[in-house]
Every structure is written in C-alpha cells, then in structure tokens.
Amino acid sequence: DQLFMIRTAKKMGLKVIALDKNINAPGFKVSDEFAVISTKDLDSIFNFIDTYQNKNSKIHGVSTMGSDIPNIVARVADYLKTPSISIKSADLATNKFQMKEQFVKYQVATPKYMLIDNINDLDIAFSKFGERLVLKPIDQAGSRGVSLITKNDDLNSLFNHAMSTTNEKNILVEEFISGPQISTESLILDGELYTPGFADRNYDDLELFRPQIMENGGWVPSLYENDRENILKEIKKSAISLGIDNSIIKGDVVLSNKGPLVIEIAARLSGGDFSESLVPLGIGVNYVKSVIELAIGHKPNLNDIKPKFSKSAANRYFFGKPGKLIDIKGIEAVKSKDWILKFEIWYKPGDYLPKISSHGQRTGVFVVVGSTRQIVQERINWVYETLNFIIDDKQIP
C-alpha cells in the first residue's frame, strides 16, 4: 500500500525515507533511503530521526497509506514539529469504542453498540440489537478479528478469536445493519469537506465468507450519488467529533432505511486500491499528492481534487482455498487485456494458501476499467472464469 505514496512523493520532487521492520519491504526498492525499523516502535523511530537529522538534513513531514497507525504518525509529526492531526484525535481514531462514544456525543448517526468483556454479554447484545451482530476488536483494522455472528454460531470460538487479536481487555459488539455500504475519502481543510473518494463497497460474497466479513473490492462511480450530501453531512460531523482538521478522513458508511450510518472512520489514507486506483481511474484525481502536501506544510490546490472525467472502474480480489498452490492457469491471457490496469498474485506455486480470515490473507488483486458498469462487470466475470488456481487442498500445514 505504501508504494503509490512513495512514487507520488518522488514525482513531486521529494526525497523519501521508508521505515519497515521487514528487510524485504517492497517500498525499500523505490524509496531514496530506508531503515529496518518497525513503524510501531516509537523509541527506535525517534532515535533514527535524531541520528538522521544530525548527519543529514531536516525531515519535513511524515505520512502513511493503508497502515492504520495515525496514532504513530501524529506522535512522529509532533516530535518532528511538522503538520499533523493532534495526538488526541489520532488516538480516538484508533480506538473504535472511544470513536463511537464521540459519535454519540456529537450526534453522528452510527449503528448501536456496546463494549463487552465476557461471552455472556452476547446474550444481552442479541436481545438489544437483533439476530445478527458484528463482533470486532477495538484496536485492529483490515477485518482482523471481525465476525458477523448469529446465535447459531460457535460464539465461544469467535469471541476468543476476537479477544486474541486485541491488546485491550474488551471488544466491541455492534448491531448489523443490512444495506449498501459506501467508502468515502475526504480532505477536510479549515473545516470544509472535499470528497474525491466515493465508492460502493462490494459485499456480494458476505454469506460465503461468514462469520468473517470479507470485502471484495469496490466500484466507482457509486450507484448512490443521490445520497452523497446526507452521507457527507455525517462524515463531516464525525471529523468534528474527533477533532480532525486539515487532514484526510476515510469513512465507512452503511445506507439504512433510516438514512446513512457511519460505521467507523480512519484518520489516514486507504489502502486496497481506493485512493491508488479507483479514484484516479474513475475521476482523474490523485489526492495522495494533496495529503503529502499537507504533511509538509503546503496548502493543497483545490483544483487538483476536482473530478476531471467520469469512468467506470472496479477492483476485485482472488480468494484461493486453503492448501498447497500447485499452479496458476490463465495468467498470460489476463495480462494481455489492456483494460486490466493492475494484476497481482501474492503467492507462487509451492506456497501454502491460508484459510482466509482477514483482508491481508487474500490471494491477489486486479483492477478493471470500462465505459460502463455493465462492461466492467462482464470483464470481472471473464477474469474469474479465465484464471484458475490449481490447489492441493489435502496439503494444509
């Protein structure tokens, strides 16, 4: 997810230093300099900054894309004395319960919720919220530990799984709201909201993956443009509730029969091809550039985030079943299509594919463009029919 931000920064004439605990991180190959440091190890990051700035030049800004670490980014920016949201706002944005509490305080429409610390509390939640609930850790992202549950599920196992993914002593339970979901990505500048990112989330296979909640990409343009004004009214209120300004705010919204409800927000750029592919391909806007400008203290040009055109684009994922990957058929046929703008497989023959329980375990991704949504859907179907993963499902480590 960082590659697009690194490349965008370099096109802007900036020098990029990448940090990652993985010595083989792909961003190291395209950045100007790098250091093998975990992006969650603040002490090591601060030591690196001191050493670097003593020997080299000043670091002018810090940002990230895809990684849900605005709490780290805010602290590093505070240390560097560079622009960022406040540490308080960043902490609220990375604690789903505290975020919800702020939503309620500022009258942001959001699904009902409660905090629980033992499995018996689920009985109370079912009686209050209905037959389907969402169970989620309060400090994770990328669907880790998140489940869509009913009373007929193995609740003990799912509760323990959610608890095993968190550093907290509680987890969040929310009512499940059935309805279309929208991803938004907005710049909020001096209290005004500008939203180049507005996409339909694809949960067509929700029941197939349940109890895991697995998103399979998104669409632009949205089918719900008529709801944009009401959706963005709630997103702006959610930004105010967390004290977020002169920053990016990513919203996850569900359209209920009572109107839009904000499931949660993130104080960071999205990963997963939203800001990298769908918005640039759909409306010709790269607002990652604007986020970088904010991070180095420059005011973004509002003309840069105005739509230049409107085209249909979608991203979709591959979900290989668990087992040893023997071969992949159809790769060259898929690669030959000029309407495939991105195509990546994250495993190679000989690798073992895991049972997919979070977004980070998907098998690969592709991005499709076309003049209409119908044409894009036909092309998506063709890719799925053409690419064939040969998997020995008896070989599971």
Side-chain angles (χ1 to χ4, degrees):
D1 285 331
Q2 308 298 320
L3 293 174
F4 187 74
M5 174 171 260
I6 294 170
R7 289 173 176 142
T8 297
K10 293 190 70 172
K11 285 181 181 177
M12 294 166 65
L14 300 172
K15 183 176 180 179
V16 179
I17 309 164
L19 304 185
D20 199 295
K21 68 179 182 181
N22 176 13
I23 195 170
N24 296 312
F28 289 171
K29 294 180 180 178
V30 295
S31 58
D32 295 288
E33 297 185 54
F34 66 87
V36 183
I37 298 172
S38 168
T39 54
K40 295 185 178 181
D41 184 351
L42 275 171
D43 288 340
S44 294
I45 294 172
F46 294 159
N47 288 335
F48 170 81
I49 289 170
D50 291 342
T51 302
Y52 185 89
Q53 294 193 138
N54 285 335
K55 291 183 178 179
N56 300 281
S57 59
K58 175 179 169 56
I59 297 171
H60 294 89
V62 57
S63 192
T64 191
M65 183 170 164
S67 298
D68 195 38
I69 52 169
N71 52 332
I72 301 295
V73 172
R75 285 170 169 81
V76 174
D78 181 69
Y79 193 77
L80 288 167
K81 304 297 185 232
T82 59
S84 173
I85 60 173
S86 71
I87 291 173
K88 179 181 178 181
S89 295
D91 286 346
L92 288 171
T94 47
N95 184 301
K96 298 182 193 301
F97 175 68
Q98 292 178 10
M99 180 193 303
K100 292 278 194 180
E101 294 284 274
Q102 290 297 110
F103 285 177
V104 171
K105 183 178 178 180
Y106 283 79
Q107 299 182 321
V108 179
T110 191
K112 297 172 185 174
Y113 65 96
M114 62 183 288
L115 201 61
I116 66 172
D117 60 9
N118 71 82
I119 193 169
N120 296 326
D121 289 338
L122 285 177
D123 290 334
I124 301 171
F126 278 116
S127 66
K128 290 174 67 173
F129 302 152
E131 298 179 353
R132 307 183 104 194
L133 305 174
V134 178
L135 200 63
K136 62 172 69 170
I138 63 177
D139 59 350
Q140 296 295 319
S143 80
R144 283 183 290 275
V146 180
S147 302
L148 171 57
I149 64 173
T150 70
K151 289 182 179 180
N152 297 323
D153 291 317
D154 184 353
L155 298 180
N156 191 62
S157 174
L158 293 170
F159 175 85
N160 289 335
H161 174 61
M163 290 296 292
S164 72
T165 64
T166 179
N167 296 316
E168 303 290 335
K169 295 180 179 179
N170 311 88
I171 55 177
L172 198 65
V173 179
E174 295 177 353
E175 65 172 333
F176 174 74
I177 303 295
S178 179
Q181 291 197 30
I182 310 295
S183 279
T184 67
E185 202 136 80
S186 309
L187 288 166
I188 182 162
L189 305 172
D190 298 324
E192 290 299 317
L193 204 67
Y194 304 89
T195 306
F198 196 87
D200 297 343
R201 305 180 77 181
N202 176 30
Y203 284 105
D204 290 349
D205 298 322
L206 186 66
E207 292 304 318
L208 178 65
F209 290 104
R210 207 187 67 78
Q212 278 72 42
I213 298 180
M214 205 61 58
E215 180 181 359
N216 187 9
W219 285 100
V220 293
S222 170
L223 294 176
Y224 305 98
E225 285 290 336
N226 290 340
D227 297 287
R228 177 187 278 258
E229 183 177 349
N230 288 333
I231 289 171
L232 296 184
K233 188 182 299 181
E234 297 303 321
I235 294 297
K236 185 174 180 178
K237 284 161 61 179
S238 69
I240 292 169
S241 78
L242 302 184
I244 294 173
D245 199 3
N246 294 308
S247 180
I248 192 79
I249 181 169
K250 174 185 179 296
D252 292 335
V253 178
V254 59
L255 290 175
S256 74
N257 54 16
K258 296 179 181 179
L261 302 177
V262 181
I263 300 171
E264 59 192 41
I265 66 95
R268 58 170 171 84
L269 281 161
S270 61
D273 285 300
F274 186 12
S275 54
E276 174 181 344
S277 300
L278 295 188
V279 178
L281 293 171
I283 63 171
V285 170
N286 177 7
Y287 55 90
V288 175
K289 174 177 179 286
S290 302
V291 172
I292 295 170
E293 287 172 335
L294 284 171
I296 60 175
H298 295 179
K299 188 172 183 178
N301 185 336
L302 294 181
N303 287 325
D304 289 345
I305 55 177
K306 289 181 179 178
K308 308 298 186 293
F309 49 75
S310 179
K311 295 180 181 178
S312 188
N315 66 318
R316 291 294 183 270
Y317 292 90
F318 300 111
F319 299 85
K321 61 184 179 180
K324 185 176 182 179
L325 181 59
I326 306 301
D327 198 6
I328 308 171
K329 306 290 187 182
I331 288 179
E332 294 308 316
V334 172
K335 284 183 174 180
S336 70
K337 301 299 182 182
D338 59 5
W339 39 261
I340 297 281
L341 274 297
K342 183 177 183 178
F343 174 76
E344 294 179 2
I345 304 295
W346 299 321
Y347 296 85
K348 62 183 184 301
D351 289 345
Y352 288 91
L353 304 188
K355 181 179 185 300
I356 297 173
S357 61
S358 69
H359 290 156
Q361 295 173 312
R362 292 176 290 200
T363 313
V365 67
F366 62 101
V367 175
V368 174
V369 294
S371 56
T372 67
R373 196 176 179 111
Q374 180 180 347
I375 288 172
V376 170
Q377 184 61 65
E378 290 170 356
R379 289 172 173 177
I380 289 169
N381 295 342
W382 180 87
V383 172
Y384 280 133
E385 291 165 3
T386 302
L387 203 75
N388 185 19
F389 292 89
I390 311 299
I391 296 168
D392 183 352
D393 58 6
K394 294 181 175 60
Q395 293 195 54
I396 300 176

